Amino acid sequence: MTDDPWRVVRADKGALLVLPAHGAAEHEPVRAPLERDGLVASDEGRVVPAVGDLVELDEHGTPARLLPRRSALVRDSAGRTSLTQVLAANVDVVLVVEHLDPDPDLGRVERLLTLAWRSGAQPVVVLTKADLVPDPQGMAQDVAQVALAVDVHAVSVPSDEGLEPVRALLEPGRTLVVVGPSGAGKSTLVNALAGREVMATGGRREGDGRGRHTTTHRELVPLAGGAMLIDTPGLRAVGLVADADALEHTFADVAELVAACRFADCTHVAEPGCAVQAALADGELSERRFASWRKLEREAAYQERRTDARLAAAEKARFKKLTQTYHRTLRGPGAPRR
Ligand SMILES: Nc1nc2c(ncn2[C@@H]2O[C@H](COP(=O)(O)OP(=O)(O)OP(=O)(O)O)[C@@H](O)[C@H]2O)c(=O)[nH]1
Ligand SMILES: [Mg+2]
Ligand SMILES: [Zn+2]
């Protein structure tokens, strides 16, 4: 077995599916069984491997080492063992996929953009189902207003409209991941970009416009041109986001206003010299966007506190262990344990 790294195509409980990191498109995926705990050694200790990770295999074909991640799309996990769950690793571009029909949900776009900014990859918004609405470009402009410094493309897969700028992102060696709600057309987009049916696509439940969760696992698809695409199941809003730095990217306009408030600890409710309230009053900032920012900001603060609390607990446990070892050493090797 060579030391060349392998790319994780799919991460299941007991095993990974991997491809050679170089020349993946010409290779069949190989099954690499995981050790009992399902974890792989890394610079940060033993971690749960994710789609897009680069791993080295040992002589038995078992993933023995996980290479440092250059970016990671993470969501906050409610799990007790880790704070975050990695949805995709080593990605360059995050395609935030949202449908034009039913109407795009601007709050969701803002939330997914924050998730994307946090990953370290470049976000791009793709608005699907342009063929189902009369004015897709006008709608794209509305979405662009909330997607600062981000390209927004309206596309239609059936009529192959608007896909060229998205195809242009598929440079050799690049990895893109699609995220968005179920039924938005992520797998349909992946198939269109791959030029073949790699992922199953689903119908839409009549009436409510909500998806059916057709895709049930995250999967990396190597493209003939040398780019890689990761398809993901529809994301529910809960547990997504939030991180103060990423929020400053998504809401750069609000951040600028906040910086202009007279008081550094302004709560933007009724303080004199509040630039946020002034912008709301003259319509420069919409109530919707302000509320969206508020909500994500509160979540970010909550998650930060939770992280701090958990880190503090871990530190306390570590200290307890250290002092126990210390006392044991003091008592000497033959001393009975208490
Ligand atoms: N008219 C039209 N329909 C589309 C377009 N893109 C996707 N669809 C349809 O939307 C439905 C859902 O598409 P999927 O690609 O399965 O959606 P998904 O985002 O992968 O959904 P999950 O796997 O459940 O997360 C399917 O019936 C697609 O045919 C489009 O550009 N135009
Ligand atoms: Mg899908
Ligand atoms: Zn203020």
Side-chain angles (χ1 to χ4, degrees):
M1 200 68 46
T2 66
D3 281 348
D4 279 349
W6 296 72
R7 195 88 195 263
V8 178
V9 166
R10 200 176 150 159
D12 292 325
K13 253 218 156 80
L16 304 176
L17 269 187
V18 297
L19 281 170
H22 305 288
E26 299 87 56
H27 209 279
E28 283 297 310
V30 176
R31 192 171 174 277
L34 288 162
E35 284 180 40
R36 242 215 168 85
D37 62 3
L39 306 176
V40 181
S42 80
D43 289 352
E44 267 111 68
R46 294 179 69 74
V47 296
V48 183
V51 169
D53 263 327
L54 289 163
V55 293
E56 285 171 0
L57 304 183
D58 67 12
E59 65 274 22
H60 311 292
T62 300
R65 205 173 90 81
L66 194 136
L67 303 189
R69 292 165 173 154
R70 69 170 189 274
S71 66
L73 193 69
V74 298
R75 96 166 140 206
D76 289 272
S77 102
R80 280 187 302 163
T81 49
S82 67
L83 292 165
T84 52
Q85 178 192 12
V86 177
L87 299 174
N90 303 314
V91 294
D92 303 289
V93 177
V94 179
L95 298 178
V96 171
V97 181
E98 175 72 21
H99 43 66
L100 288 170
D101 179 42
D103 280 348
D105 180 333
L106 299 181
R108 180 161 56 208
V109 171
E110 289 164 337
R111 190 179 275 272
L112 290 172
L113 282 174
T114 308
L115 180 87
W117 282 121
R118 182 179 173 175
S119 73
Q122 175 67 40
V124 172
V125 174
V126 178
L127 302 169
T128 60
K129 314 193 186 187
D131 52 292
L132 300 181
V133 296
D135 181 19
Q137 293 314 325
M139 290 173 93
Q141 273 169 21
D142 291 345
V143 174
Q145 302 242 308
V146 310
L148 307 176
V150 172
D151 286 338
V152 177
H153 305 291
V155 308
S156 160
V157 170
S159 62
D160 200 59
E161 261 171 275
L163 285 169
E164 254 344 284
V166 184
R167 287 203 180 96
L169 298 169
L170 304 171
E171 285 175 18
R174 259 201 191 167
T175 302
L176 295 82
V177 60
V178 294
V179 295
S182 181
K186 298 178 298 297
S187 301
T188 304
L189 181 68
V190 166
N191 289 342
L193 296 173
R196 64 202 161 96
E197 293 291 305
V198 269
M199 299 300 299
T201 58
R204 213 172 71 193
R205 274 197 306 234
E206 287 309 311
D208 64 0
R210 275 200 267 142
R212 286 177 172 168
H213 292 280
T214 305
T215 307
T216 53
H217 59 270
R218 297 182 278 277
E219 182 166 334
L220 182 144
V221 178
L223 305 187
M228 318 246 181
L229 260 176
I230 299 175
D231 192 9
T232 66
L235 279 175
R236 270 166 299 155
V238 287
L240 291 187
V241 185
D243 160 272
D245 288 345
L247 273 178
E248 289 217 359
H249 265 104
T250 312
F251 293 94
D253 51 345
V254 182
E256 201 173 302
L257 291 168
V258 167
C261 289
R262 184 180 306 161
F263 302 114
D265 61 350
C266 186
T267 59
H268 325 299
V269 180
E271 287 91 339
C274 174
V276 174
Q277 284 297 332
L280 285 170
D282 70 15
E284 190 198 324
L285 176 66
S286 74
E287 292 284 352
R288 187 211 60 77
R289 187 156 168 90
F290 177 59
S292 178
W293 170 74
R294 260 274 200 257
K295 189 160 179 240
L296 292 175
E297 203 220 6
R298 290 215 172 105
E299 286 179 30
Y302 166 73
Q303 282 163 1
E304 206 161 298
R305 279 198 305 278
R306 203 185 54 166
T307 306
D308 287 349
R310 218 184 297 197
L311 286 178
E315 185 59 24
K316 210 167 139 191
R318 197 179 69 92
F319 184 71
K320 197 171 159 196
K321 211 168 162 188
L322 270 177
T323 44
Q324 275 173 353
T325 315
Y326 175 69
H327 287 301
R328 214 171 292 145
T329 319
L330 280 187
R331 287 198 299 274
R337 289 179 64 171
R338 268 187 293 167

